[in-house]
Amino acid sequence: MDCELCRSPSGQVLHEDDRLKVLLVDEEGYPGFCRVIWKAHIKEMTDLSACDRLHLLDWVHYVEAALLRCTQADKINLASLGNMVPHLHWHVIPRFADDAHFPAPIWAAARRQGASRAWPQLAEQLRRQLASAQTHCWLDYQIQVDQVPDGLEGADLACYRFFAESGLAWPVDGIDADGRHWLALRHGSLDGAEHVETLRLEPGSYRQRPCPRLYQAEFLR
């Protein structure tokens, strides 16, 4: 099988782990064009396990967020095509109102001479952004809520109710000295800032479940 993405795809490596790699590629007229490439040779998202699908989509999200912060793009385009190279990968493309194709996809006919842009230190900036995105330190087990403690309000109450009523389990971020577990509820604002609220789990309201692999269950971010 001759697959260019199975060999050594061109581009500057921004992140790599045992399942995927993120590359900044040299696409004429489109600095900041990134690809998130799944290492195993598969064709479709439906070929992935639930854990792997979450891992891949997390990294597509991280790359989109990093590009927005570093380029101030008007729009980020996400595309997973694979018609010519049937190896699962995502394109993450910063777009500008004055680029050559906007608002059409970059693979359409050009509409104008695109404005010239360059960010000499972009690769390093993106690497820093992606490194800081990996703030999740999921422990190797899951938490199952059994009951909702009294006296909760706001995000704590909403999170407890969601998991208690749905029956889902989720990985936790850490453990206190007294043995209580906690979950960091992260959410972003329109200006790109990230806000974190911590939910500390009350003793007797939850139990541990074995989790042989990270990202095994669906969970709330």
Side-chain angles (χ1 to χ4, degrees), residues 113-135:
Q113 180 68 37
S116 178
R117 285 184 174 82
W119 296 278
Q121 303 301 317
L122 182 60
E124 186 53 40
Q125 292 172 15
L126 289 171
R127 287 189 190 102
R128 286 198 297 269
Q129 289 287 334
L130 292 174
S132 67
Q134 299 178 71
T135 55

Side-chain angles (χ1 to χ4, degrees), residues 79-94:
S80 181
L81 304 174
N83 298 328
M84 298 295 293
V85 182
H87 180 132
L88 182 60
H89 63 287
W90 282 82
H91 304 289
V92 189
I93 313 164

Side-chain angles (χ1 to χ4, degrees), residues 30-120:
Y30 288 94
F33 190 123
C34 290
R35 289 194 182 100
V36 183
I37 303 171
W38 194 253
K39 287 185 173 180
H41 185 83
I42 59 175
K43 291 198 300 183
E44 312 293 354
M45 289 289 293
T46 49
D47 293 331
L48 295 175
S49 67
C51 335
D52 288 342
R53 184 172 66 250
L54 284 169
H55 185 68
L56 176 56
L57 291 177
D58 269 350
W59 276 98
V60 172
H61 164 78
Y62 294 154
V63 175
E64 176 183 289
L67 284 170
L68 282 171
R69 290 173 183 151
C70 292
T71 69
Q72 299 298 303
D74 295 322
K75 184 70 178 71
I76 299 292
N77 285 179
L78 302 177
S80 181
L81 304 174
N83 298 328
M84 298 295 293
V85 182
H87 180 132
L88 182 60
H89 63 287
W90 282 82
H91 304 289
V92 189
I93 313 164
R95 300 295 308 276
F96 296 88
D98 58 358
D99 71 37
H101 298 83
F102 197 89
I106 69 167
W107 297 284
R111 295 181 173 219
R112 63 186 71 84
Q113 180 68 37
S116 178
R117 285 184 174 82
W119 296 278

Side-chain angles (χ1 to χ4, degrees), residues 6 8 10 40 44 65 78 81 84 125 170 178 193 199 218 220:
C6 285
S8 296
S10 61
E44 312 293 354
L78 302 177
L81 304 174
M84 298 295 293
Q125 292 172 15
W170 80 101
D178 62 2
L199 166 66
E218 297 182 42
L220 190 64

Side-chain angles (χ1 to χ4, degrees), residues 111-200:
R111 295 181 173 219
R112 63 186 71 84
Q113 180 68 37
S116 178
R117 285 184 174 82
W119 296 278
Q121 303 301 317
L122 182 60
E124 186 53 40
Q125 292 172 15
L126 289 171
R127 287 189 190 102
R128 286 198 297 269
Q129 289 287 334
L130 292 174
S132 67
Q134 299 178 71
T135 55
H136 303 291
C137 255
W138 307 118
L139 302 182
D140 214 9
Y141 51 81
Q142 296 171 312
I143 292 296
Q144 175 74 59
V145 168
D146 291 324
Q147 61 184 4
V148 179
D150 294 331
L152 293 179
E153 59 184 23
D156 285 355
L157 179 58
C159 187
Y160 264 105
R161 276 185 174 166
F162 177 81
F163 284 102
E165 293 171 2
S166 68
L168 294 176
W170 80 101
V172 295
D173 285 82
I175 184 168
D176 289 335
D178 62 2
R180 286 193 307 172
H181 297 89
W182 58 271
L183 171 70
L185 305 173
R186 296 175 175 86
H187 55 90
S189 59
L190 293 177
D191 62 4
E194 185 179 71
H195 306 276
V196 178
E197 299 173 17
T198 57
L199 166 66
R200 297 193 186 281

